[in-house]
């Protein structure tokens, strides 16, 4: 394909959730339609320039953010396991050495940052990262010190960086 880069997009929160159902079921067709709708709204931004990949994942419900931080984190880890597995599958089977943009909004931004932390520590992979667009999530100074691959963009031509606002 003549498209310049791949986008690995992670959907924002579309699942309400409850105390009894913290992570979205991948068998829930109605929620998957909402997932697809939210993803397709973002997809158009990249269509002309990029190949677009966006996995379903067992995202946490909005209600879970109101629970204790340890409960919330336990369920976020379940969601991230899906994202990471999908990303590794994409890297092994689809990427073929192409430049990558990681993008996400809200919960998707949280997952994007986790992905860069865990999957871009390797310098060869860092060379493929165009940017991580983590919109609607925070990245702390402590995180940028602990994870050198989390480099804030300083200019419009920077690569291997993140762009974020919360």
């Amino acid at each position: 394909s003549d498209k310049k880069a791949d986008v690995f997009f992670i959907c924002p929160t579309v699942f309400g959730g409850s105390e009894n159902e913290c992570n979205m079921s991948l068998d829930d067709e109605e929620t998957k339609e909402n997932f697809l709708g939210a993803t397709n709204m973002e997809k158009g931004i990249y269509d002309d320039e990029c190949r677009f990949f966006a996995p379903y994942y067992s995202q946490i419900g909005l209600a879970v953010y109101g629970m204790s931080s340890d409960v919330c984190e336990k369920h976020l880890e379940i969601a991230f396991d899906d994202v990471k597995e999908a990303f590794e599958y994409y890297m092994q089977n689809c990427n073929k050495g192409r430049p990558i943009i990681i993008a996400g909004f809200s919960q998707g931004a949280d997952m994007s940052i986790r992905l860069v932390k865990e999957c871009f520590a390797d310098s060869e992979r860092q060379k493929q990262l165009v940017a991580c667009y983590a919109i609607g999530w925070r990245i702390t100074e402590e995180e940028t010190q602990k994870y050198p691959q989390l480099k804030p963009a300083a200019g419009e031509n920077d690569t291997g960086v993140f762009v974020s606002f919360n």
Side-chain angles (χ1 to χ4, degrees), residues 32 38 49 79 97 123 148:
K32 279 170 75 172
E49 300 291 324
S123 63

Side-chain angles (χ1 to χ4, degrees), residues 2-158:
D2 59 353
K3 301 210 176 191
K4 297 170 187 66
D6 287 352
V7 174
F8 191 86
F9 176 78
I10 307 163
C11 185
T13 309
V14 296
F15 176 60
S18 67
E19 229 173 272
N20 301 325
E21 197 177 18
C22 294
N23 290 80
M24 181 182 112
S25 164
L26 297 181
D27 297 327
D28 177 347
E29 293 306 320
E30 188 180 329
T31 304
K32 279 170 75 172
E33 272 182 45
N34 295 342
F35 207 96
L36 201 54
T39 299
N40 284 336
M41 277 177 28
E42 307 286 338
K43 183 178 181 292
I45 297 168
Y46 304 100
D47 267 352
D48 291 342
E49 300 291 324
C50 303
R51 297 190 315 164
F52 192 86
F53 298 84
Y56 286 112
Y57 67 101
S58 305
Q59 64 174 225
I60 69 167
L62 211 48
V64 182
Y65 284 107
M67 298 177 188
S68 70
S69 60
D70 57 326
V71 169
C72 188
E73 184 55 35
K74 181 180 87 174
H75 292 286
L76 282 166
E77 285 171 14
I78 292 168
F80 181 67
D81 285 346
D82 283 357
V83 171
K84 185 178 177 187
E85 186 179 331
F87 181 73
E88 292 300 351
Y89 178 89
Y90 153 78
M91 287 302 292
Q92 289 166 13
N93 297 283
C94 307
N95 175 266
K96 303 192 183 352
R98 297 166 64 90
I100 308 164
I101 296 166
I102 305 292
F105 170 68
S106 174
Q107 183 172 171
D110 177 9
M111 296 292 130
S112 297
I113 295 162
R114 290 171 190 247
L115 204 56
V116 172
K117 286 177 181 177
E118 281 212 19
C119 299
F120 286 88
D122 171 87
S123 63
E124 280 309 301
R125 212 176 252 182
Q126 280 175 31
K127 289 177 193 167
Q128 285 181 265
L129 184 63
V130 177
C132 172
Y133 295 111
I135 308 304
W137 206 257
R138 67 198 163 279
I139 298 177
T140 65
E141 197 172 333
E142 292 78 29
E143 285 176 297
T144 61
Q145 289 165 358
K146 184 174 178 183
Y147 300 96
Q149 67 270 36
L150 278 179
K151 293 184 296 241
E156 68 273 12
N157 295 321
D158 290 353

